[in-house]
Amino acid sequence: MKRIAIGIESTAHTLGIGIFDASSKAIISNSYSTYSKKYGGMKPSDVADHHSQAFEQVLKKSLDDASINIFDAKVIGYSKGPGLAPCLRIARTSAVLISSILRIPVIPVHHGIAHILIGKFDAGLVDPLVIYASGANTQLLIEKQGAFAVMGETLDIGLGNAIDMLARAMKLENAHGSSIEFLAKNGDYIELPYTVKGMDFTFSGLVTRCGQLLNKHAINDVAHSFQETAFAMLCEAAERALMLSKKHEVLLCGGVAQNKRLQEMVSKMCEENGVAFGVAKSEYNRDNGAMIAYAASYLFDKFGNSYPDKDISIKPKFRIEDAFV
Ligand code: FE2
């Protein structure tokens, strides 16, 4: 018999609804719709409007792809935070509504914890040092006594946001990490500011310097040098965390984990240190509903009705070390 978990993700630009079947340990659907704008940043209220308008269609596709009826669900999860408040409310309100109609438990899930849990599941890792690199967050984490402890992190902006800022400074039509990754393939290296403090690091000085160089150098060279420098900083801090934590595995997860050059550099660092490297498939590293469904199922199986987080609200500044796992 199927044990179905539905997960709803809406922390930022993506509304995602995924379905996990705990009986077969399989993700059976992962549907999404992403807000996009040709130039510039996102206005949270516009993104939330997109999510509410796309909701019915994304839910229908997810249920159809999984070949289930919504009444088959045994648990429902939503991303509680961190994220943009108007966007977070879409997942929270719909999950609470569905749970009350179906009389099933609702599980609030930390977005970063969901990235880690699905990363471990998809990559087959047990107890890794985690390199979590997304838009707003970039952290080095280890699991400790029912929570994730931060060993190191960005002291200013997340790596994904730094990449997006560079893409906007370049006035790219698709101001996204994939455009920078594409440009970086054919560039030459220019020396840039490199800031690592122990296991912490900063990216804003790097972005500022790259912006200043755009009039003097080809954008391919700037994109290439940015990636090489930022990723080397992250690898250096991660290697230090690996030595201190004595872990035998490294998981790379979060939206920036889709970058093939970052995967290559972290993989090389792991190989040199004789530890296993894992990264989930791209569809589980981008923001998605399947990771929320998987995390809700995992947490419900582990805690049952005694899941410690009873607060079914949203938490836009939810720190990862405050989440139960
Ligand atoms: Fe994310």
Side-chain angles (χ1 to χ4, degrees):
M1 187 176 154
K2 286 181 175 174
R3 284 193 294 132
I4 298 295
I6 296 179
I8 309 175
E9 156 62 32
S10 69
T11 53
H13 53 28
T14 296
L15 169 74
I17 302 180
I19 299 174
F20 178 73
D21 177 11
S23 64
S24 59
K25 292 189 172 24
I27 292 157
I28 53 176
S29 72
N30 195 18
S31 172
Y32 62 86
S33 175
T34 299
Y35 172 86
S36 65
K37 200 174 155 196
K38 212 166 181 186
Y39 297 102
M42 300 186 293
K43 194 173 157 196
S45 57
D46 290 347
V47 187
D49 283 349
H50 162 269
H51 293 351
S52 55
Q53 281 159 22
F55 193 89
E56 188 183 353
Q57 188 199 345
V58 174
L59 176 61
K60 186 177 183 312
K61 182 165 188 335
S62 197
L63 293 168
D64 288 351
D65 289 350
S67 303
I68 63 154
N69 187 297
I70 196 163
F71 294 100
D72 296 329
K74 299 288 182 282
V75 64
I76 186 160
Y78 71 94
S79 48
K80 180 174 176 173
L84 304 168
C87 303
L88 289 168
R89 285 190 196 103
I90 305 294
R92 183 264 168 198
T93 305
S94 48
V96 171
L97 182 67
I98 293 168
S99 89
S100 64
I101 292 170
L102 303 186
R103 296 177 185 275
I104 58 172
V106 60
I107 304 281
V109 175
H110 185 284
H111 179 87
I113 295 284
H115 269 302
I116 295 170
L117 292 177
I118 204 163
K120 282 171 64 178
F121 169 73
D122 197 46
L125 301 181
V126 181
D127 183 25
L129 167 75
V130 176
I131 305 174
Y132 171 38
S134 69
N137 305 282
T138 305
Q139 296 174 314
L140 304 170
L141 304 151
I142 52 168
E143 196 170 346
K144 217 174 177 181
Q145 296 163 344
F148 273 90
V150 179
M151 293 193 74
E153 65 183 324
T154 175
L155 298 176
D156 51 16
I157 53 175
L159 179 53
N161 283 354
I163 293 171
D164 290 348
M165 284 166 76
L166 177 63
R168 286 200 292 273
M170 288 176 171
K171 297 188 170 50
L172 301 179
E173 194 170 301
N174 178 20
H176 187 260
S178 56
S179 306
I180 297 292
E181 184 175 4
F182 180 76
L183 289 169
K185 282 179 185 161
N186 296 305
D188 291 326
Y189 183 73
I190 312 158
E191 202 161 318
L192 293 173
Y194 182 99
T195 316
V196 177
K197 297 176 180 179
M199 287 175 285
D200 296 328
F201 31 84
T202 66
F203 296 116
S204 53
L206 187 56
V207 176
T208 303
R209 184 67 186 135
C210 283
Q212 292 164 347
L213 293 175
L214 284 173
N215 293 332
K216 302 172 200 155
H217 294 272
I219 56 170
N220 294 71
D221 294 349
V222 176
H224 174 78
S225 308
F226 176 92
Q227 280 203 171
E228 294 301 301
T229 308
F231 297 171
M233 283 161 48
L234 192 54
C235 282
E236 182 193 323
E239 191 168 27
R240 203 162 284 133
L242 187 61
M243 296 300 103
L244 282 167
S245 64
K246 299 185 171 55
K247 297 287 182 191
H248 303 292
E249 302 172 322
V250 173
L251 171 69
L252 179 63
C253 69
V256 190
Q258 297 172 90
N259 186 297
K260 294 281 183 284
R261 178 61 180 147
L262 178 59
Q263 291 179 10
E264 186 182 23
M265 288 171 75
V266 176
S267 169
K268 181 108 196 310
M269 183 273 285
C270 290
E271 195 185 312
E272 285 170 3
N273 286 286
V275 301
F277 167 70
V279 61
K281 286 185 273 301
S282 185
E283 65 175 303
Y284 305 133
N285 273 319
R286 58 165 295 143
D287 285 355
N288 67 92
M291 69 180 191
I292 306 297
Y294 176 74
S297 177
Y298 175 93
L299 294 167
F300 187 66
D301 277 356
K302 183 171 178 181
F303 294 102
N305 289 324
S306 54
Y307 179 54
D309 190 354
K310 305 288 183 207
D311 172 21
I312 49 168
S313 62
I314 61 165
K315 211 168 174 183
K317 296 191 186 301
F318 199 176
R319 287 281 301 180
I320 203 163
E321 58 267 55
D322 296 332
F324 299 99
V325 69

